[in-house]
Amino acid sequence: MPPDIASLREQILELKGKRRAIILAHNYQRDEVQEIADFTGDSLELSRTAATIDCEVIVFAGVHFMAESASILSPDKTVLLPEIDAGCPMADMIRANSPRQERRSFPGFKNAPGLLYPAEFTLRDIKAEHPGVPVVAYVNTTAEVKAESYICCTSANIVQVIESLPFDTVISVPDRNLSLWAQRNTKKKVIAWDGFCHVHERVTREDVKNARAEHPRALLMAHPECRLEVLEIADHVTSTSGMLRYAKASPEKEFIVGTELGLMYRLRKENPGKTFYPLRKDMLCPSMKKTTLGSILRALKKNTYIVRTPEEVRIPAKLALDRMLGIR
Ligand code: 13P
Ligand code: SF4
């Protein structure tokens, strides 16, 4: 281990102990960040951990909505996001109330007729058009959007969440691909928002064809934020931790990985006898790579950056998260 990394690790571990802090890291974080984390997981696992962990400080190595969810679930703890600019572009594609002008010209919105709504609406507009229809909010949303929603979901449980509701129609925000995937797997009607994750949206059927030609024995695991044309031909569609479980349990030895490159670290570490190939070499989320050992150390030293949610938003947002966490 290079001496600078060793020294940063040492300082972080010492301060972490002094402050009764824990580090939560998403599966897409840098290798060295995952390595120092107390817990690494997918969005659902991280929410469950944030809600129950015993500590005074949570350092969230992830993106803003994740730290915000932790602050909603654990208001008595200090929640730190080491890089305040680590946002999720998809979460910014929907606003609870005030529309954002620039979304109108955001490249990539389909504004397709039918299921998908044009991006210039707010969540409140859509709710007004469908009175009584519950909103299922992906955790990749702001606290304000969660507060306007009936229940949250993650990529690991969206179908289960929709099936659990006593309604035949739901509004699903903000990821169109995840929503269309859910529609494929439920008889209920899913009204989808027009958002997307730029990392997963770029993958095409052609990429799958090329990867399979190069690695004919490999199974394809795809994240449900990928386009439906990709999901339809994948061997397994699941969240990031779902991929870890699938690869471990499978007797197969080779896998093509259809998600952000950060997941490779745990896949390779936890499966030394197996081989993993990225579906595309550019599946990289810059926001997820912002957090470094240096910024984690700074967070612990200087309390940067405290994420707190005002009570009037936190209470209804927590209800939506609690409804999801109550489903087993
Ligand atoms: P999961 O780890 O929950 O599958 O989330 C993927 C993601 O894109 C988080 O930003
Ligand atoms: Fe958002 Fe996609 Fe990055 Fe996850 S990978 S934080 S969904 S932009």
Side-chain angles (χ1 to χ4, degrees):
M1 186 184 305
D4 49 337
I5 295 209
S7 147
L8 280 169
R9 276 183 59 90
E10 209 174 290
Q11 294 178 67
I12 289 170
L13 293 174
E14 194 189 325
L15 254 181
K16 204 165 74 78
K18 277 191 190 147
R19 294 202 60 188
R20 273 206 355 109
I22 63 128
I23 301 171
L24 300 184
H26 186 264
N27 286 326
Y28 294 159
Q29 289 289 297
R30 292 167 182 268
D31 300 357
E32 65 276 17
V33 170
Q34 295 194 38
E35 196 55 51
I36 202 151
D38 297 279
F39 186 83
T40 306
D42 68 5
S43 309
L44 183 60
E45 293 170 334
L46 292 171
S47 298
R48 286 202 194 285
T49 309
T52 53
I53 195 98
D54 176 28
C55 64
E56 280 172 30
V57 178
I58 295 176
V59 181
F60 218 115
V63 289
H64 189 271
F65 75 80
M66 296 179 171
E68 194 174 54
S69 296
S71 82
I72 292 167
L73 291 165
S74 289
D76 299 335
K77 292 171 189 141
T78 302
V79 179
L80 301 175
L81 182 68
E83 293 287 345
I84 198 61
D85 292 337
C88 167
M90 173 161 61
D92 289 337
M93 289 176 187
I94 182 166
R95 280 286 171 272
N97 202 6
S98 54
R100 283 191 4 166
Q101 294 304 315
E102 70 266 32
R103 280 185 311 150
R104 296 202 174 115
S105 57
F106 198 104
F109 279 123
K110 287 189 171 138
N111 288 344
L115 272 183
L116 305 172
Y117 273 94
E120 59 263 30
F121 291 123
T122 68
L123 181 52
R124 281 208 188 157
D125 295 332
I126 301 304
K127 282 171 71 177
E129 268 188 39
H130 300 277
V133 177
V135 175
V136 177
Y138 195 24
V139 284
N140 300 39
T141 46
T142 60
E144 288 76 15
V145 167
K146 290 183 177 79
E148 283 283 332
S149 302
Y150 181 77
I151 190 166
C152 289
C153 74
T154 73
S155 61
N157 64 11
I158 184 164
V159 176
Q160 209 187 346
V161 164
I162 291 173
E163 291 292 320
S164 77
L165 300 177
F167 300 89
D168 292 336
T169 304
V170 300
I171 297 166
S172 171
V173 300
D175 187 2
R176 63 183 176 219
N177 294 330
L178 181 69
S179 304
L180 291 174
W181 178 245
Q183 182 64 88
R184 274 290 161 102
N185 289 284
T186 178
K187 289 200 164 56
K188 299 188 180 190
K189 182 170 183 217
V190 180
I191 300 168
W193 194 262
D194 197 13
F196 58 91
C197 162
H198 67 101
V199 180
H200 293 86
E201 171 72 13
R202 72 186 65 165
V203 182
T204 63
R205 222 169 232 262
E206 195 62 18
D207 293 321
V208 174
K209 234 173 72 191
N210 294 342
R212 282 206 163 121
E214 216 176 313
H215 311 291
R217 280 190 305 274
L219 291 179
L220 169 65
M221 306 187 288
H223 195 278
E225 288 172 13
C226 293
R227 297 177 195 192
L228 203 53
E229 68 182 45
V230 170
L231 302 179
E232 279 167 343
I233 53 173
D235 294 294
H236 193 55
V237 176
T238 185
S239 74
T240 54
S241 289
M243 290 186 194
L244 288 160
R245 288 189 289 274
Y246 180 76
K248 194 170 271 180
S250 170
E252 296 301 321
K253 295 276 183 266
E254 292 180 55
F255 302 85
I256 299 163
V257 184
T259 196
E260 211 271 351
L261 298 176
L263 188 66
M264 291 293 187
Y265 176 67
R266 277 187 72 189
L267 281 169
R268 288 174 176 149
K269 187 174 159 196
E270 294 174 14
N271 300 281
K274 300 186 178 184
T275 311
F276 299 92
Y277 313 103
L279 177 50
R280 276 178 66 121
K281 293 193 176 80
D282 62 353
M283 293 186 76
L284 208 114
C285 175
S287 296
M288 281 286 183
K289 301 301 185 246
K290 282 201 159 104
T291 308
T292 60
L293 290 183
S295 56
I296 290 176
L297 180 60
R298 185 185 58 202
L300 284 165
K301 274 186 180 161
K302 300 190 172 169
N303 249 7
T304 48
Y305 293 88
I306 296 178
V307 177
R308 230 183 250 126
T309 308
E311 281 301 282
E312 67 276 16
V313 177
R314 190 186 75 79
I315 302 290
K318 183 169 185 299
L319 189 61
L321 279 165
D322 283 344
R323 283 193 175 116
M324 170 184 82
L325 294 173
I327 299 173
R328 285 285 164 177

